[in-house]
Amino acid sequence: MQEQASVKADGNKLSSIVISISRWMAVLACFTLAAMMVFVTVDVAGRDFFNRPLRGTVEIVGLLLILASTWGMGLCQIEKRHLRIPLLYDLFPLRVRLWLDILAYVVCLVTAGIVTWQVLVLALKYLRMPHGNATEILGLPFVPFMIVLAWGFGWMCFILLIDIIKTLQEAIKK
């Protein structure tokens, strides 16, 4: 099977920078998952053994989940580790597969773009609110986490745009 056009298929400096940033984001997402596990473990142990749960664990884990779930998406797209059903896809000629990839990338780009835009709109709304812009128990502000979420989806948009351009160039050549 022939290599698909993607960010990693090109050896230029921009590609290496994009891959490097995506890897660091994925590493941060992994550390965030580890931190979430520690919070939940301490909370459960505290509740079961000492009758003292860790205050605000649900809030902290919920907010950390934002980073853990979105900052690995870019690397997943670069490495093409997403789900694909090859049953029909592999039956098509390369040119048709490339156009199907472009269609999928455009749909994902539009979706991720809408999410990015709406999260930024919500972050601005939270910035303007005098009350209700923080978690209930610990009082952690929502805005930094909204920016983290917007960055994760915005970075995904950037990678999808690169993939669209490269796949389009390859599809036109074929």
Side-chain angles (χ1 to χ4, degrees), residues 6-82:
S6 71
V7 173
K8 74 177 190 174
D10 188 353
N12 70 23
K13 188 168 179 121
L14 176 64
S15 292
S16 63
I17 291 171
V18 169
I19 291 168
S20 179
I21 291 171
S22 297
R23 282 193 179 131
W24 278 106
M25 288 173 64
V27 166
L28 282 172
C30 288
F31 281 118
T32 303
L33 279 172
M36 290 166 58
M37 289 188 311
V38 169
F39 274 108
V40 170
T41 302
V42 169
D43 181 51
V44 170
R47 182 180 56 234
D48 290 347
F49 298 123
F50 306 109
N51 202 25
R52 303 268 311 169
L54 187 61
R55 190 172 172 257
T57 297
V58 173
E59 288 180 354
I60 293 169
V61 169
L63 292 172
L64 290 177
L65 185 60
I66 292 170
L67 191 146
S69 63
T70 60
W71 280 35
M73 292 187 314
L75 188 61
C76 182
Q77 175 62 27
I78 288 171
E79 294 181 352
K80 305 298 181 246
R81 301 279 179 150
H82 40 64

Side-chain angles (χ1 to χ4, degrees), residues 124-145:
L124 287 173
K125 178 182 171 185
Y126 281 144
L127 277 173
R128 294 184 186 129
M129 291 173 66
H131 302 291
N133 58 357
T135 62
E136 194 171 318
I137 296 170
L138 298 177
L140 298 171
F142 288 128
V143 173
F145 297 96

Side-chain angles (χ1 to χ4, degrees), residues 2-5 89 92-105 163-164 166-174:
Q2 199 169 7
E3 168 101 17
Q4 292 180 330
Y89 181 82
F92 291 116
L94 178 61
R95 186 176 177 128
V96 173
R97 287 187 304 212
L98 290 171
W99 285 104
L100 287 172
D101 287 344
I102 291 168
L103 177 64
Y105 296 157
D163 278 348
I164 289 169
K166 290 187 181 209
T167 309
L168 189 58
Q169 288 171 344
E170 187 176 340
I172 290 170
K173 281 190 231 174
K174 302 279 179 202

